Amino acid sequence: MIWRKTAKSVPNWAFEVQIGGNLVEAMAKLKHAWDLYSSIPVLVTRAEQVPEADDLLGGSFHEMKEVARVLADDRLSEFYKVKLQFRELKNALCLV
């Protein structure tokens, strides 16, 4: 999945969700988006796979180590819940 600022622009962010299976394939897809568009690569995976992803960024995919983000799926769920709480509070305070 990619995020673009506008429909015809290059993607700013490239996301790969890998909840099991081969992290090398996921990282290769992110590397392709990074090489092609200079997109910020984001890998979402299980917490148990984060160390393996970090190892890959220190080895085979070292070129994108400084720009890539690795996020455990439970942290993403936590972020979403906090964001919803923030929105509710913002609406309660009538903030735009």
Side-chain angles (χ1 to χ4, degrees), residues 35 39 41 48 51-52 68 78 88 90:
D35 287 341
S39 301
E48 307 86 61
E52 182 184 350
E78 179 184 336
E88 289 171 7
K90 190 171 134 180

Side-chain angles (χ1 to χ4, degrees), residues 18-23 45-46 49:
Q18 187 74 33
I19 308 296
N22 191 339
L23 281 181
T45 190
R46 290 187 329 230
Q49 290 186 293

Side-chain angles (χ1 to χ4, degrees), residues 32 42 58 72 87:
H32 180 69
V42 180
R87 182 186 302 161

Side-chain angles (χ1 to χ4, degrees), residues 53-69:
D54 289 339
D55 287 346
L56 288 170
L57 286 171
S60 300
F61 298 96
H62 66 275
E63 299 94 344
M64 61 181 192
K65 181 179 177 71
E66 298 301 317
V67 294
R69 275 85 163 163

Side-chain angles (χ1 to χ4, degrees), residues 80-96:
Y80 181 71
K81 289 175 189 173
V82 169
K83 184 164 175 56
L84 287 179
Q85 291 171 350
F86 175 76
R87 182 186 302 161
E88 289 171 7
L89 180 58
K90 190 171 134 180
N91 289 340
L93 295 171
C94 298
L95 299 173
V96 177

